[in-house]
């Protein structure tokens, strides 16, 4: 991949505003406000390890913009967490919430840690310790965290419980993505992948596809990647390749996705927090240790993540981490459609190459907005105390995803711009309306001229 610092990721993300501003109806002051996060907190989290030693972990929480409502965004546990990355992710969340039309702004958080190296008890202490440090920075009406990379419903449950202890009252609406018994929403587990699936189904409708003719590759086989794969497989799409952090597998005839999910999610023991296996643990090799049949249709030839991106497929779904498609590899990516389930997987320079090649990119702030949309549903249910059925959640999500996809697609066609620029334009219009409603220079500079003079009394 091309060499870029994580601070460049934030500047690259902000730079997309300038391109969209040309097509948006907004005040320049509104654009300026969106260039800077509203607040950022860095914390140190002391954790007593199982061997009795003390270890200090660094964590961050960013609130980018709360003009349209409380900030909203995940917390990731990853060794490469960096403040520049967290700022970029919070900015993307601001735009994502505006695209979906939900009353949230963007937030994000993270802890520098390899969670797979922690025991279950150490992971719980870290999760609770992070909330202890940021408790005054978050809240149901201020900033509402959610799961992200290497965090999950169980971790969200710990975090909600810790915040509730600090506040001396039960506060399920402070965290979303929780387990169902702790106030989670039905339909939240597959929301990100399902939102992307609804986008692909709209492309299918507009382009009159036959699903069985469409070859799909998915980079990233965590929660979002698994669910979009499952839903597409159920509709007879041919998913020929999947990958995770350790590598991938390819099978020209298509993979048995339910079986691949089963194999991927096997754990070494029932107490494991994370799956112990990779999708590439069982290639066509006749291995005996894993007791897999080499003819199993969930097994294929081992490939790298980089090779997966360059496969000759119709739809490429990056569902891993940011900055995966850059000027170093974009010219070798033949897929005609890229659906970004990950946050920021494509650099702006690579976007320009895709535009020249005529590649349609369904951008992250639209394609993966299903997660934050159903998080909004969960927050709403927590605050009302009334919970919806899974079918209600799915239908409400489908309504939003279909509406916003078609609005952005039509704007792209009308303005003759790429779909990412159209999505940012759509977001900017909504953000600008909210910012201008509070007053900008356009209002205040004309205040004196337009203030009516008092009528003299007689």
């Amino acid at each position: 991949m091309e060499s870029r610092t994580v601070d460049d990721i934030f500047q690259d993300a902000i730079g997309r505003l300038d391109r969209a501003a040309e097509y948006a109806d907004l005040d320049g002051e509104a654009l300026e406000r969106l260039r800077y996060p509203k607040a950022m907190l860095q914390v140190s989290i002391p954790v007593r390890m199982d061997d009795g030693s003390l270890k200090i972990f660094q964590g961050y929480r960013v609130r980018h913009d709360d003009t349209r409502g409380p900030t909203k965004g995940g917390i990731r546990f990853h060794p490469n967490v960096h403040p520049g990355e967290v700022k970029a992710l919070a900015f993307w969340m601001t735009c994502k919430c505006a695209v979906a039309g939900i009353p949230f702004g963007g937030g994000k958080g993270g802890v520098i840690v390899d969670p797979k190296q922690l025991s279950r008890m150490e992971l719980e202490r870290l999760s609770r310790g992070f909330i202890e440090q940021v408790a005054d920075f978050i809240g149901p009406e201020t900033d509402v965290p959610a799961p992200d990379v290497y965090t999950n419903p169980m971790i969200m449950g710990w975090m909600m419980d810790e915040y509730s202890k600090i506040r001396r009252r039960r506060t399920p609406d402070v965290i979303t993505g929780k387990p169902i018994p702790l106030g989670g929403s039905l339909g939240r587990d597959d929301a990100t992948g399902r939102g992307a699936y609804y986008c692909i189904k709209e492309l299918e409708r507009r382009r009159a596809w036959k699903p069985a003719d469409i070859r799909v590759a998915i980079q990233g086989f965590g929660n979002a990647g698994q669910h979009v794969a499952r839903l597409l497989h159920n509709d007879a799409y041919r998913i020929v390749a999947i990958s995770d952090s350790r590598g991938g597998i390819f099978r020209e005839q298509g993979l048995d996705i339910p079986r691949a999910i089963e194999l991927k999610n096997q754990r070494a023991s029932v107490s494991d927090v994370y799956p112990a296996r990779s999708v590439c643990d069982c290639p066509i090799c006749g291995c005996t240790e894993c007791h897999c049949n080499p003819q199993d249709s969930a097994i294929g030839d081992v490939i790298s993540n980089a090779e997966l991106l360059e496969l000759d497929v119709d739809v490429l779904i990056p569902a891993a981490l940011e900055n995966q498609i850059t000027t170093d590899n974009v010219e070798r990516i033949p897929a005609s459609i890229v659906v970004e389930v990950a946050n920021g997987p494509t650099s702006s320079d690579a976007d320009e190459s895709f535009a020249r090649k005529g590649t349609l990119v369904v951008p992250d702030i639209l394609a993966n907005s299903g997660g934050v949309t159903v998080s909004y549903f969960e927050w709403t249910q927590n605050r009302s105390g009334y919970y919806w059925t899974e079918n209600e959640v799915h239908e409400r999500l489908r309504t939003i995803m279909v509406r916003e996809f078609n609005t952005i697609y039509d704007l792209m066609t009308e303005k003759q711009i790429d779909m990412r620029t159209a999505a940012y334009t759509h977001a900017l219009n909504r953000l600008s309306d909210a910012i201008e409603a509070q007053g900008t220079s356009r209002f205040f500079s004309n205040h004196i001229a337009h203030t009516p003079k008092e009528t003299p009394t007689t």
Side-chain angles (χ1 to χ4, degrees), residues 160-174:
M160 184 273 286
D161 182 64
E162 188 65 25
Y163 184 87
S164 295
K165 287 180 178 179
I166 293 169
R167 297 299 179 219
R168 298 292 191 268
R169 59 186 174 86
R170 190 172 185 275
T171 54
D173 50 346
V174 72

Side-chain angles (χ1 to χ4, degrees), residues 316-336:
L316 172 64
I317 303 178
L321 295 172
E322 59 272 4
N323 204 32
Q324 298 299 299
I325 300 173
T326 70
T327 53
D328 288 346
N329 63 356
V330 65
E331 295 299 335
R332 299 192 300 275
I333 295 176
S336 58

Side-chain angles (χ1 to χ4, degrees), residues 68-83:
R68 301 184 72 252
T71 52
K72 184 84 186 72
I75 298 170
R76 62 176 49 185
F77 287 173
H78 196 275
N80 295 331
V81 165
H82 184 279

Side-chain angles (χ1 to χ4, degrees), residues 256-308:
D256 179 347
I257 293 301
R259 175 64 174 154
I261 292 172
E262 178 188 354
L263 293 174
K264 164 69 178 175
N265 291 339
Q266 287 178 355
R267 287 164 164 77
S269 71
V270 294
S271 64
D272 283 349
V273 177
Y274 303 103
R277 296 181 63 173
S278 164
V279 298
C280 59
D281 278 343
C282 299
I284 295 177
C285 62
C287 56
T288 57
E289 291 184 3
C290 60
H291 307 291
C292 287
N293 181 348
Q295 304 306 314
D296 194 327
S297 57
I299 299 169
D301 296 314
V302 172
I303 58 174
S304 68
N305 270 289
E307 289 172 327
L308 180 143

Side-chain angles (χ1 to χ4, degrees), residues 148-220:
D148 198 79
V149 176
Y150 291 133
T151 53
N152 57 29
M154 181 174 62
I155 291 172
M156 295 302 105
W158 291 335
M159 291 182 172
M160 184 273 286
D161 182 64
E162 188 65 25
Y163 184 87
S164 295
K165 287 180 178 179
I166 293 169
R167 297 299 179 219
R168 298 292 191 268
R169 59 186 174 86
R170 190 172 185 275
T171 54
D173 50 346
V174 72
I175 298 274
T176 62
K178 304 179 296 295
I180 300 299
L182 298 181
S185 174
L186 295 170
R188 176 62 183 87
D189 59 336
D190 71 351
T192 302
R194 184 173 290 273
Y197 164 77
Y198 288 143
C199 290
I200 294 170
K201 294 299 285 184
E202 284 305 292
L203 282 173
E204 175 190 317
R205 180 183 65 82
R206 282 179 172 263
R207 300 194 172 196
W209 284 343
K210 292 182 179 179
D213 295 336
I214 304 300
R215 302 167 74 249
V216 181
I218 302 173
Q219 185 204 43

